């Protein structure tokens, strides 16, 4: 789960991580009032779950309260296109006003889980404000990596090493080290999967603070953080993905034309590969999980069909815990309820497969039953040719 910059900054403050003051404005008058409180100037920042806002026009400087009000009006509701949103962009629903900071240097710092070492790892670079992928591509030597031992946490020594690598000196060096240790504590205690501070700035006064903050949380640990779940912004999530999560289903939108209902991530990958192999591509995939009910299967089928990209559906289920007759009944009921207009190919294997196939063939619906996965992929690709 991702959260907005203003929410991330609220969290940073509770961990004593320095970040400029700021508030969300609900309307133009409030944007002006907040700016007045800040001494007449502010940075007006669009809140979307994507970076690159600065270059896309989502970060603007207001020199007067009136200008802040104008910028608010322009930004609120705008469709913001950045390098990370894709061409379709994102609608801005929230506008944050930040205290302007007198920047001396822009740096980069993040914590993430390095899968290769299985450790939380700090990445630091003197090249702040630039996307880290670009730094990694052109000047990889400018990225410093420090792996944290989970039993020790980020040690004082490591924090100072990071501060040194970032070229911090004197008081800023000390402030930096404290900043890094507090941020690491947040990362662990809140079960983050990534925290990125870009830019981390040194101000003209020598303070070290987070000018931007991006935090992602491990979904599997959200059950123990209701305070984080409360930050969830459904405006930022694809409609079908939200709908699927209501029923405990995982839906992923892709850009091809075949809708895929599968159980298990591995089978999803195999299904997508074989569709590509036979010359088409998946419009989405929906993982119904290990032991879905007939009701869940029905909802899954409905969600897949609501995707306008879907020209045909491939149901590929291996019945282990999941029973094939339940899948078949769910598909048949959903098809009858919704009135399916696209070709549907079903491949079932495993527990109660014979009953499942019988339900499908006796349904009176034009559902094609495939002999195996290869046959299923061939049939579904042929159906849209
Ligand atoms: P994004 O990463 O989405 O482009 P940022 O919050 O990093 O958005 O802002 C982009 C740039 O705008 C920063 O690199 C910084 O130069 C400037 N900026 C952002 N917030 C402030 C602020 N409070 N004071 C001064 N400059 C800022
Ligand atoms: Mg940024």
């Amino acid at each position: 789960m991702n959260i907005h910059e203003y929410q991330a900054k609220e969290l940073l403050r509770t961990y004593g991580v320095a970040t400029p003051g700021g508030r969300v404005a609900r309307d133009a008058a409030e944007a002006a009032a907040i700016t007045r409180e800040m001494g007449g100037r502010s940075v007006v920042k669009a809140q979307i779950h994507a970076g690159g806002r600065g270059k896309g026009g989502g970060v603007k400087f207001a020199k007067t309260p009136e200008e802040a009000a104008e910028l608010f009006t322009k930004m609120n509701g705008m469709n913001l296109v950045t390098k990370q949103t894709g061409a379709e962009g994102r609608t801005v629903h929230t506008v944050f006003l930040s205290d302007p900071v007198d920047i001396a240097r822009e740096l980069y710092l993040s914590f993430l889980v390095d899968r290769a070492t299985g450790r939380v790892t700090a990445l630091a670079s003197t090249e702040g404000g630039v996307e880290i992928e670009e730094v990694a591509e052109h000047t990889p030597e400018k990225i410093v990596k420090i792996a944290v031992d989970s039993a020790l946490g980020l040690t004082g020594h490591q924090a100072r090493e990071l501060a040194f690598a970032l070229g911090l000196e004197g008081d800023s060096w000390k402030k930096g080290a404290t900043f890094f240790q507090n941020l690491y504590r947040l990362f662990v205690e809140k079960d983050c999967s990534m925290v990125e501070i870009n830019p981390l700035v040194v101000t003209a006064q020598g303070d070290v603070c987070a000018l931007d903050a991006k935090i992602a949380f491990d979904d599997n640990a959200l059950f123990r953080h209701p305070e984080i779940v409360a930050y969830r912004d459904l405006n930022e999530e694809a409609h079908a993905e939200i709908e699927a999560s209501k029923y405990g289903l995982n839906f992923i939108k892709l850009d091809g034309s075949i809708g895929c209902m599968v159980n298990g991530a591995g089978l999803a990958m195999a299904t997508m590969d074989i569709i590509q192999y036979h010359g088409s591509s998946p419009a989405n995939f929906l993982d119904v999980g290990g032991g879905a009910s007939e009701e869940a299967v029905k909802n899954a089928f409905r969600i897949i069909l609501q995707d306008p990209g879907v020209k045909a559906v491939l149901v590929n289920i291996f019945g282990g815990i999941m029973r094939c007759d339940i899948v078949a009944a769910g598909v048949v009921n959903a098809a009858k309820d919704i009135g399916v207009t696209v070709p549907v190919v079903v491949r079932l294997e495993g527990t109660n497969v014979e009953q499942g196939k019988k339900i499908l063939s006796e349904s009176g619906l034009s559902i094609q039953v495939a002999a195996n996965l290869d046959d299923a992929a061939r049939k579904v690709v042929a159906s849209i040719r």
Side-chain angles (χ1 to χ4, degrees), residues 53 198-199 212:
R53 294 165 302 163
N198 189 22
D212 188 10

Side-chain angles (χ1 to χ4, degrees), residues 17 107-109 111 122 124 154 158-164 166 168 172-186 200 208:
V17 178
L107 311 168
Y108 175 94
L109 178 83
F111 284 108
L154 183 75
Q158 288 179 314
R160 291 188 293 274
E161 196 180 330
L162 280 172
F164 181 72
L166 288 172
L168 301 179
S172 311
W173 184 72
K174 282 190 207 144
K175 285 175 178 160
T178 309
F179 182 109
F180 306 147
Q181 282 189 301
N182 286 340
L183 190 62
Y184 175 78
R185 208 159 46 80
L186 183 160
L200 166 75
V208 175

Side-chain angles (χ1 to χ4, degrees), residues 43 45 51-54 59 61 98-101 103 106 198-199 211-212:
V43 183
K45 306 182 81 171
R53 294 165 302 163
V59 178
F61 294 81
S98 171
D99 257 326
V101 169
I103 303 172
E106 296 202 21
N198 189 22
L211 221 59
D212 188 10

Side-chain angles (χ1 to χ4, degrees), residues 77-362:
M78 88 184 272
N79 189 52
L80 182 56
V81 180
T82 80
K83 238 175 132 178
Q84 292 182 12
T85 59
E88 72 280 10
R90 292 272 178 85
T91 309
V92 178
H93 295 282
T94 310
V95 178
F96 175 63
L97 280 92
S98 171
D99 257 326
V101 169
D102 206 348
I103 303 172
R105 294 177 63 211
E106 296 202 21
L107 311 168
Y108 175 94
L109 178 83
S110 65
F111 284 108
L112 44 82
V113 180
D114 181 347
R115 286 171 192 276
T117 58
R119 290 183 175 203
V120 175
T121 299
L123 293 184
S125 166
T126 51
E127 307 303 291
V130 185
E131 276 173 70
I132 196 68
E133 290 80 2
E134 283 185 21
V135 183
E137 194 177 320
H138 303 296
T139 47
E141 70 283 0
K142 290 195 172 159
I143 300 177
V144 175
K145 246 171 120 172
I146 294 184
V148 181
D149 183 323
S150 61
L152 299 176
L154 183 75
T155 64
H157 171 75
Q158 288 179 314
R160 291 188 293 274
E161 196 180 330
L162 280 172
F164 181 72
L166 288 172
L168 301 179
E169 288 170 344
D171 236 19
S172 311
W173 184 72
K174 282 190 207 144
K175 285 175 178 160
T178 309
F179 182 109
F180 306 147
Q181 282 189 301
N182 286 340
L183 190 62
Y184 175 78
R185 208 159 46 80
L186 183 160
F187 186 98
V188 173
E189 287 181 13
K190 297 295 182 187
D191 292 306
C192 299
S193 54
M194 196 217 34
V195 172
E196 184 180 63
I197 309 296
N198 189 22
L200 166 75
V201 306
V202 183
T203 68
Q205 297 75 33
D207 288 323
V208 175
C209 69
L211 221 59
D212 188 10
K214 182 175 171 185
I215 305 186
F217 301 89
D218 179 352
D219 289 347
N220 294 316
L222 283 176
F223 72 94
R224 55 185 184 192
H225 299 293
E227 77 289 1
I228 301 295
V229 176
Y231 280 142
R232 189 163 178 195
D233 181 355
L234 297 181
N235 285 321
E236 292 291 327
E237 298 178 30
H239 175 74
E241 292 176 18
I242 299 166
E243 185 71 11
S245 73
K246 275 195 219 155
Y247 302 101
L249 305 164
N250 286 310
F251 178 88
I252 305 292
K253 175 80 188 105
L254 300 162
D255 52 14
S257 41
I258 296 175
C260 304
M261 184 165 105
V262 297
N263 62 334
L267 198 57
M269 297 300 149
T271 307
M272 291 192 288
D273 280 351
I274 200 154
I275 288 173
Q276 305 256 17
Y277 180 77
H278 285 293
S280 188
S281 58
N284 57 42
F285 77 82
L286 197 150
D287 180 359
V288 294
S293 63
E294 188 183 316
E295 192 60 22
V297 170
K298 206 172 136 182
N299 283 314
F301 204 66
R302 184 174 50 77
I303 291 165
I304 289 177
L305 288 171
Q306 277 165 356
D307 178 346
V310 170
K311 304 282 178 281
V313 177
L314 173 56
V315 178
N316 182 23
I317 300 282
F318 182 80
I321 302 170
M322 187 96 186
R323 283 168 29 202
C324 292
D325 54 325
I326 289 184
V327 176
V331 169
V332 168
N333 285 336
K336 282 184 178 159
D337 273 12
I338 307 161
V340 183
T341 52
V342 298
V344 177
V345 178
V346 180
R347 179 259 181 163
L348 294 173
E349 205 57 78
T351 313
N352 293 358
V353 62
E354 290 314 321
Q355 285 104 302
K357 286 184 176 166
K358 191 155 169 262
I359 292 170
L360 293 173
S361 56
E362 289 174 359

